[in-house]
Structures are given as structure tokens and as C-alpha cells.
């Protein structure tokens, strides 16, 4: 079975000499929920730009569902829906027209386009805004409009470039519910985001790109297993004095009503809980100090420099 | 894409272009109507009555074909230049670039959008001219053919301009410093037979002269140049500009990094 996306030795050098991609190789399986992460300027947007024909590649090959973009780019584009980072619709068009017009560019007859526009605008809570000029929408609505537009030709791969930037929490959650639903129905999702907890919760596989090179490409599970230690914050019902437990690094936080525990690979929290129990300290809540993927991300990016 | 899908994509672009200039009619359709009415009133009526006949016609009748052609040229050009550049500027051109629509369809759609505006304005100006003079039609087929081909040619020019343009100044440079002088010196207001031989020769290098005269021939039956030459020159320009526009589009000039 062909990969949803197959990238081989992809290079991009811009006119000013900047080498944005230094020969990356990447495969995304059909039906995957894939995260492409990296710091600003790492090459994520260039990669996505090449996939959807907004950037000309310097060399290498790209296939979308087995269709080589050098041989049949229009054919390959049919499989792809793109939600870009920046708003790129005609701001003077109504919401409905933005979506229906995009369908026309894919050769979809008007009556089919209008039915689909209604379906996706309703799904994304934009139906009551269908006659509103798109410039009048809020930031979150504009993002949802771009998702509806990207889905109008019912693509097999949906690329979301920072889709939740500037979107409030409630909206972000409903947006992800919808995207998860799409993925469950078989649509391959490729996501770039700066919210790494999103990538951890949603994605099965992950690639980390830095300075135009892929520095990690694995499953989220496998990547998280490589964590050598995790730091947890335990909130206690009362303040505690000194905490000392052999083999564990434990620090008091603030007035001692919370502690930070670093758990190395092979260790477990049961020892800590047993120790706290002996001290008559009750744990009322517990959380990771920072996102696990974030810790790995920072480590990998630093390591690749 | 199948032929029916290509047709839908083309129709979508054309419909969007027509909707655009109709939506902003106070900016696109009204100004040329007002400007040309002033030309008719001042140059045709007030000054023209003192000039007398030109090539056997009243001055007003003589300048009407040139003024219609002038409005068609400027509107076909500026419609495509401003519309495509705006799409570049606000990145909405990406909607087309990510789609499977072939580049020749994109080019044709935008160009015919420009032609639609050029013809709309041309028809409006023609109707307005009838309030000032009467026109008889010498050759209807030639008149329509010339106005169509001319608007196609200048719409293509506007598209190439928009591809190269990096800011709004670049969009206005060509109309201001090239198109307007060529149009004014292209026999809109005078017959080149009034010019000294040297200037007549230089005028023959101006492509707008051929279009204005061929159009005038279609309406009045008089021309300073051979109409066949006009058709050959316009068609040659169309072929060249279409090739340039399509090549630039395929290379992604100004629209892809």
C-alpha cells in the first residue's frame, strides 16, 4: 500500500542561498495522525509548501498516495487539503462563497459544492455566518472557515499548519474532536503545532525537524519511552519540612505545600507515596511539571545543534 | 482534470472575477463612464465644434471610437492587474495554487474577467456617446472582433504586470507611464495624417494606433492604417503575451518561492 506522503531526499535552497531543507526523508502512512514538529524556521512550512505547490523544491521527490508530484501534480493535489498558518481567503467574499468557490477550483459541480458547504459549515458552527463577509469573522471562526474550505473536496490527507494558534481552549477542544472524527473516518492528518501537549494527545507518529534535517521520526509512544526522567509536582494538604528519600531527587516548592519529584527510568512513584505516607503527608493532586514531549523536543533540538 | 471539471474551474474563476468588479462598481464601472462623458462634453462638443470635420466626420464622431477603445484598453488591463495582484497580496491566490486547476485555465479565467469588464465599460461608454452624437456601423463583425481581441491583449498585459508586481506602485506604473501615453498618442484624438512625416513614422510603432484605427474603421469606415496589419499585430501580441504569462505562471514567478 502506498504511503499517504512519501518524501525522498527533499532539498530546498531559496534564492538568497538559504538551505531550508537539507535532503529530508519522511513517510506518512495512510490513516495516520502525524505530527511534524520543529522550532521556527526549521523547515516545516517549506515542507508543507512543497507538498501543496506553494514552494518549488530544489531536488528530491514527493509522492502523495503514490502519485509523484513531478509526474502528475494536479492528480496529487486532489488528495490534499491544506489549512495554512496565515489566513489566505478573499476577505471580501462571504463565508459560503469562500467555500463554494474553492470547490469550483476542484471541478466540483455547484449543487454538490453547496451541499458540502452546508455540511461542513454546520459541522464547524459557521452556518449562521454563511452570508457574512469573511473579514468580519473572529480569529477562531476564520480558522474554522479555512478547515471547511480545505475539506470541501473531501481530501484523503489534511495538512493543518498551526491550526489552533490564537484559538481559545473551548474552541480548540471542539476543533480537535472534529479532526479526530475525520481521522477515525480514514483521513490522514498531518499537524504542525507549537502546543506539544496537543501533539502528544492526538498524534500516533511524529517527526521532529530542525535546521532542515529530520532529527527524530518515530511513534509518540516510542519517543516518550526514551525519556530518562520525568518530574512530577505533588500538592500536599499541609506544608512539610525536609524531605529526604534515598535514590530520589525531591525538592520543596514554595512554603512546602508542594514538592517536585524527579523519577528516573526504572524508578516508580510508589516509594515516594510510601515515604510521604510515613510522614503523614497527604497528596491531594499530582501533575507533570512540564509536558513530556516538550522535554524531549527541547533535548532533541539542543542535541542537533 | 476532465473537460467538465476544467470548465467548472474556468467558470468559477470567471464568475468570481465578474462578481468582484460588479460588487465594487463605483470603483470600476462608474469612473470611466463619468470621465468619458466629460471627454464627450468638453472635447467633442465644446472644442470639437470649433475644430470642424476630420476624415469627413464631425470631430465628436471621430473621437468616439477612440474613446471607447481607450476605456476598453484601460479597464481590461487594470481589472486583471489589480485583481490578480490583490489575490497575491492577500495570499488568496494560494486557493488556486493548491487546487488541480491547470495554469492555462487560471490565466484564461482572469483574462476573460478583464475582458468582461472592458466590454462592460465599452458598452456603457458607447451608450453614453449616443447622447452626444449618432454613430453608424460600417462593419459590425470587425468592430466586435477588434474590441474583443484588444481587450484580450491588454488583459494579458495586466496579468503579466501583476505577476511581476511586488507592490501597488508596480501595478500603477505601467498604466500611468506606458499605457496612457501610448493611448493618447495612438490616434484617439487626431488622425496621424495631420502629423509631420517623421512623427507619422514614429506613430506607426505604437500598437495602440492600430487598434484605435481598426476599431474606428469598423464604426466609421475610415482608418490611417491597413486593418489587416492591425489584426496581425494584435494577434501576434496576444500569442506572445499568452506564452509569457503562462510560462511565468508555470515557473511560479511572483507567486511561489
Amino acid at each position: 500500500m502506498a504511503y499517504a506522503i512519501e518524501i525522498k531526499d527533499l532539498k530546498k535552497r531559496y534564492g538568497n542561498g538559504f538551505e531550508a531543507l537539507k535532503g529530508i526523508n519522511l513517510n506518512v502512512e495512510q490513516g495516520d495522525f502525524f505530527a511534524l514538529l520543529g522550532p521556527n524556521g526549521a523547515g516545516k512550512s517549506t515542507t508543507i509548501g512543497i507538498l501543496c505547490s506553494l514552494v518549488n523544491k530544489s531536488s528530491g521527490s514527493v509522492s502523495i498516495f503514490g502519485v509523484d508530484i513531478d509526474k502528475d501534480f494536479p492528480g496529487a493535489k486532489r488528495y490534499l487539503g491544506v489549512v495554512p498558518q496565515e489566513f489566505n481567503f478573499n476577505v471580501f467574499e462571504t463565508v459560503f462563497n469562500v467555500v463554494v468557490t474553492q470547490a469550483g477550483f476542484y471541478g466540483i459541480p455547484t449543487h454538490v459544492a453547496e451541499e458540502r458547504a452546508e455540511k461542513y459549515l454546520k459541522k464547524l458552527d459557521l452556518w449562521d455566518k454563511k452570508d457574512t463577509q469573511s473579514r468580519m469573522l473572529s480569529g477562531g471562526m476564520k480558522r474554522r472557515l479555512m478547515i471547511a474550505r480545505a475539506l470541501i473536496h473531501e481530501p484523503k490527507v489534511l495538512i493543518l499548519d498551526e491550526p489552533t494558534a490564537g484559538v481559545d481552549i473551548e474552541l480548540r477542544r471542539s476543533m480537535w474532536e472534529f479532526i479526530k472524527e475525520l481521522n477515525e473516518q480514514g483521513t490522514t492528518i498531518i499537524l504542525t503545532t507549537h502546543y506539544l501537549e496537543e501533539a502528544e494527545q492526538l498524534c500516533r507518529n511524529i517527526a521532529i525537524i530542525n535546521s532542515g534535517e529530520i532529527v527524530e521520526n518515530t511513534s509518540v509512544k516510542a519517543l516518550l519511552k526514551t525519556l530518562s526522567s520525568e518530574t512530577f509536582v505533588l500538592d500536599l494538604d499541609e506544608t512539610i519540612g525536609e524531605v529526604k528519600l534515598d535514590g530520589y531527587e525531591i525538592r520543596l516548592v514554595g512554603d512546602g505545600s508542594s514538592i517536585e519529584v524527579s523519577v528516573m527510568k526504572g524508578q516508580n512513584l510508589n516509594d515516594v507515596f510510601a515515604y510521604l505516607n510515613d510522614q503523614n503527608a497527604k497528596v491531594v493532586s499530582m501533575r507533570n511539571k512540564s509536558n513530556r514531549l516538550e522535554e524531549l523536543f527541547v533535548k532533541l533540538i539542543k542535541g542537533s545543534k | 482534470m476532465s473537460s467538465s471539471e476544467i470548465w467548472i474551474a474556468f467558470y468559477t474563476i470567471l464568475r468570481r472575477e465578474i462578481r468582484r468588479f460588479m460588487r465594487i462598481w463605483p470603483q470600476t464601472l462608474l469612473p470611466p463612464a463619468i470621465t468619458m462623458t466629460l471627454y464627450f462634453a468638453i472635447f467633442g462638443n465644446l472644442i470639437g465644434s470649433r475644430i470642424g470635420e476630420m476624415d469627413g466626420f464631425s470631430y465628436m464622431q471621430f473621437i468616439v471610437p477612440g474613446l471607447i477603445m481607450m476605456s476598453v484598453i484601460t479597464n481590461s488591463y487594470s481589472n486583471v492587474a489589480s485583481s490578480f495582484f490583490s489575490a497575491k497580496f492577500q495570499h488568496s491566490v494560494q486557493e488556486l495554487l493548491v487546487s488541480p486547476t491547470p495554469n492555462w485555465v487560471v490565466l484564461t479565467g482572469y483574462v476573460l474577467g478583464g475582458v468582461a469588464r472592458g466590454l462592460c465599460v465599452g458598452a456603457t461608454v458607447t451608450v453614453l456617446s449616443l447622447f452626444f452624437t449618432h454613430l453608424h456601423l460600417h462593419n459590425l463583425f470587425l468592430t466586435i472582433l477588434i474590441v474583443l481581441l484588444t481587450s484580450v491583449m491588454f488583459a494579458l498585459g495586466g496579468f503579466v504586470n501583476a505577476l511581476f508586481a511586488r507592490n501597488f506602485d508596480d501595478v500603477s506604473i505601467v498604466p500611468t507611464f506606458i499605457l496612457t501615453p501610448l493611448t493618447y498618442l495612438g490616434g484617439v484624438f487626431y488622425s496621424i495624417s495631420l502629423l509631420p512625416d517623421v512623427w507619422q513614422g514614429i506613430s506607426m510603432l505604437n500598437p495602440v494606433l492600430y487598434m484605435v484605427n481598426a476599431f474606428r474603421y469598423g464604426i466609421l469606415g475610415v482608418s490611417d492604417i491597413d486593418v489587416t496589419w492591425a489584426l496581425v499585430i494584435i494577434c501576434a501580441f496576444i500569442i506572445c503575451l499568452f506564452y509569457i504569462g503562462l510560462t511565468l505562471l508555470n515557473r511560479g514567478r511572483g507567486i511561489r518561492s
Side-chain angles (χ1 to χ4, degrees):
Chain A
M1 192 166 62
Y3 285 109
I5 303 285
E6 189 175 10
I7 296 173
K8 282 183 189 161
D9 198 23
L10 186 64
K11 290 181 184 170
K12 173 63 188 176
R13 185 184 286 273
Y14 285 101
N16 59 8
F18 175 68
E19 201 176 10
L21 296 177
K22 299 170 182 167
I24 64 165
N25 293 292
L26 197 64
N27 294 328
V28 179
E29 284 176 10
Q30 291 187 25
D32 201 354
F33 206 132
F34 189 91
L36 182 62
L37 307 179
N40 290 331
K44 302 186 299 287
S45 293
T46 300
T47 308
I48 290 172
I50 291 171
L51 283 173
C52 57
S53 109
L54 300 177
V55 177
N56 292 328
K57 65 186 169 67
S58 300
S59 65
S61 71
V62 176
S63 296
I64 302 168
F65 274 82
V67 181
D68 189 329
I69 65 166
D70 288 328
K71 290 177 184 158
D72 180 14
F73 211 164
K77 284 177 184 176
R78 285 179 174 282
Y79 293 116
L80 217 60
V82 187
V83 181
Q85 210 174 111
E86 287 174 26
F87 304 127
N88 69 344
F89 43 77
N90 186 335
V91 292
F92 299 107
E93 290 278 7
T94 63
V95 167
F96 192 69
N97 276 345
V98 166
V99 182
V100 172
T101 300
Q102 186 67 18
F105 298 153
Y106 286 82
I108 297 166
T110 308
H111 68 280
V112 179
E114 287 176 352
E115 279 170 21
R116 286 191 194 170
E118 183 176 347
K119 173 181 153 189
Y120 289 113
L121 289 176
K122 278 181 175 168
K123 280 250 180 204
L124 288 153
D125 285 333
L126 283 172
W127 184 242
D128 58 330
K129 298 281 180 192
K130 70 184 172 72
D131 297 321
T132 307
Q133 269 195 355
S134 51
R135 70 194 168 101
M136 308 300 284
L137 299 179
S138 68
M141 287 176 182
K142 284 176 181 167
R143 292 238 170 259
R144 282 182 282 156
L145 171 59
M146 291 205 296
I147 295 175
R149 186 187 60 180
L151 291 171
I152 196 71
H153 62 289
E154 305 198 324
K156 288 186 168 185
V157 186
L158 182 65
I159 299 180
L160 300 142
D161 194 1
E162 303 279 352
T164 48
V167 174
D168 68 50
I169 295 167
E170 193 185 352
L171 201 59
R172 200 184 301 172
R173 279 185 184 164
S174 68
M175 207 184 269
W176 285 131
E177 282 308 312
F178 178 62
I179 303 291
K180 268 160 76 177
E181 196 183 308
L182 280 174
N183 181 244
E184 281 158 16
Q185 287 162 6
T187 308
T188 308
I189 309 286
I190 299 175
L191 162 76
T192 80
T193 179
H194 279 128
Y195 300 110
L196 297 187
E197 66 274 17
E198 278 181 356
E200 185 181 335
Q201 283 167 21
L202 296 164
C203 300
R204 284 191 284 281
N205 290 300
I206 191 168
I208 296 177
I209 186 168
N210 191 33
S211 305
E213 290 172 307
I214 301 285
V215 295
E216 188 59 86
N217 184 8
T218 183
S219 70
V220 174
K221 266 186 187 170
L223 187 63
L224 291 174
K225 275 185 187 167
T226 65
L227 262 178
S228 56
S229 73
E230 267 187 84
T231 304
F232 297 93
V233 178
L234 277 58
D235 298 317
L236 309 173
D237 68 337
E238 284 174 12
T239 55
I240 191 169
E242 198 184 12
V243 186
K244 245 184 180 175
L245 180 62
D246 284 346
Y248 288 87
E249 193 185 316
I250 303 177
R251 294 170 297 279
L252 291 178
V253 179
D255 60 354
S257 59
S258 299
I259 58 171
E260 274 182 18
V261 186
S262 294
V263 181
M264 308 299 285
K265 224 174 182 176
Q267 293 181 326
N268 62 65
L269 282 167
N270 288 356
D271 296 339
V272 180
F273 285 122
Y275 170 78
L276 290 171
N277 205 27
D278 291 345
Q279 304 295 312
N280 288 324
K282 286 177 188 158
V283 178
V284 291
S285 67
M286 185 183 86
R287 64 185 182 277
N288 274 86
K289 187 184 177 190
S290 61
N291 177 259
R292 297 181 298 169
L293 194 56
E294 198 170 303
E295 282 181 31
L296 278 166
F297 178 80
V298 172
K299 209 167 110 186
L300 284 163
I301 295 301
K302 274 186 182 168
S304 71
K305 277 184 182 166
Chain B
M1 287 179 104
S2 67
S3 52
S4 66
E5 288 173 332
I6 285 176
W7 167 251
I8 291 170
F10 163 75
Y11 175 69
T12 304
I13 299 169
L14 181 60
R15 187 180 54 184
R16 188 177 69 167
E17 284 305 290
I18 293 173
R19 202 165 53 210
R20 189 193 78 91
F21 75 73
M22 286 297 195
R23 187 178 57 221
I24 51 170
W25 63 270
Q27 292 172 49
T28 53
L29 303 180
L30 191 59
I34 292 172
T35 310
M36 289 304 150
T37 305
L38 291 171
Y39 272 119
F40 292 142
I42 297 166
F43 289 101
N45 257 6
L46 297 175
I47 300 173
S49 59
R50 291 169 180 245
I51 292 173
E53 286 195 349
M54 198 165 285
D55 286 349
F57 291 92
S58 72
Y59 189 65
M60 172 63 100
Q61 284 177 315
F62 182 83
I63 64 168
V64 163
L67 288 173
I68 294 170
M69 194 51 105
M70 190 163 108
S71 54
V72 169
I73 288 171
T74 48
N75 282 280
S76 302
Y77 189 95
S78 60
N79 191 73
V80 183
S82 62
S83 174
F84 194 74
F85 180 73
S86 297
K88 259 174 69 171
F89 188 75
Q90 57 175 333
H91 304 296
S92 62
V93 72
Q94 291 177 2
E95 292 180 332
L96 267 169
L97 298 181
V98 301
S99 79
T101 307
N103 284 336
W104 68 266
V105 176
V106 175
L107 180 59
T108 312
Y110 269 95
V111 165
L112 289 193
V115 170
R117 174 165 154 199
L119 295 183
C120 244
V121 171
T124 309
V125 173
T126 306
V127 170
L128 286 170
S129 73
L130 296 176
F131 288 99
F132 295 89
T133 187
H134 66 275
L135 293 172
H136 77 276
L137 218 49
H138 177 72
N139 186 330
L140 177 66
F141 175 72
L142 183 70
T143 306
I144 292 172
L145 183 66
I146 291 289
V147 79
L148 263 175
L149 291 176
T150 304
S151 56
V152 167
M153 176 185 147
F154 281 93
L156 280 165
F159 192 86
V160 174
N161 185 180
L163 280 173
F164 278 109
R166 292 183 176 184
N167 51 50
F168 283 101
D169 289 342
D170 293 345
V171 176
S172 63
I173 283 173
V174 176
T176 309
F177 296 105
I178 299 173
L179 218 54
T180 305
L182 283 180
T183 313
Y184 277 80
L185 298 170
V188 172
F189 297 102
Y190 55 86
S191 162
I192 59 163
S193 59
L194 299 175
L195 300 174
D197 288 348
V198 179
W199 286 105
Q200 279 191 35
I202 293 171
S203 293
M204 298 300 271
L205 298 173
N206 180 356
V208 178
L209 179 82
Y210 294 83
M211 294 154 210
V212 168
N213 272 281
F215 188 64
R216 183 174 287 135
Y217 181 82
I219 293 179
L220 303 178
V222 293
S223 171
D224 291 333
I225 48 97
D226 184 350
V227 173
T228 314
W229 263 114
L231 284 168
V232 169
I233 287 172
I234 298 170
C235 289
F237 266 104
I238 287 175
I239 292 166
C240 287
L241 285 168
F242 190 87
Y243 176 76
I244 293 168
L246 192 57
T247 306
L248 291 170
L249 207 50
N250 286 338
R251 286 184 188 166
R253 166 80 206 196
I255 47 176
R256 288 196 183 97
S257 337

